[in-house]
Amino acid sequence: MTTTLDTPTTTSASTASTIAVPNARGEAVFLRAETYNLTAREIVYALAAHLTYFGDTLAVQVVDPLAAIDAHMRFNGDLTAWTRGRTPTDVAAVRARAEQIARDYFGTYFPAIPW
């Protein structure tokens, strides 16, 4: 598995940025892999999917968060299926836990996500 993190760089009008073109929300790609690119929000959704399918195995470091993200994207890929049938309160709680895991794993590079 090969992944890279995109970190912000300064650019001038004559140089290209290393950050990918923002998506419809204006969010840049944060994580690149061989077969997919993810924004910080999508990373949280992938971790949330893992949490809802397998429990909080990430808290006790049984599963590496990057491996969980990669497995979800390779074998499932649906970033919002885990929200179906859940109350907004449950979705917010799972999302908050997933975002905390991402912040702990990626450190200060992980951007703030306006929900």
Side-chain angles (χ1 to χ4, degrees):
M1 172 177 64
T2 303
T3 59
T4 60
L5 294 176
D6 283 340
T7 55
T9 60
T10 57
T11 61
S12 66
S14 62
T15 61
S17 171
T18 59
I19 298 176
V21 176
N23 66 5
R25 291 182 185 265
E27 299 169 339
V29 170
F30 182 79
L31 180 71
R32 294 178 191 277
E34 293 176 30
T35 57
Y36 57 86
N37 297 320
L38 297 175
T39 65
R41 182 183 308 270
E42 292 167 333
I43 288 170
V44 170
Y45 282 143
L47 289 170
H50 177 86
L51 289 171
T52 58
Y53 293 133
F54 303 108
D56 200 348
T57 60
L58 303 168
V60 294
Q61 298 180 0
V62 173
V63 177
D64 179 67
L66 194 56
I69 293 165
D70 188 60
H72 182 75
M73 294 307 297
R74 289 178 189 265
F75 301 112
N76 184 320
D78 188 341
L79 294 173
T80 58
W82 65 272
T83 63
R84 293 184 195 115
R86 298 188 192 285
T87 66
T89 304
D90 289 343
V91 169
V94 172
R95 201 173 55 206
R97 176 66 185 129
E99 187 171 358
Q100 184 59 51
I101 291 167
R103 288 198 186 292
D104 291 346
Y105 188 78
F106 293 107
T108 58
Y109 292 111
F110 200 75
I113 304 170
W115 298 103

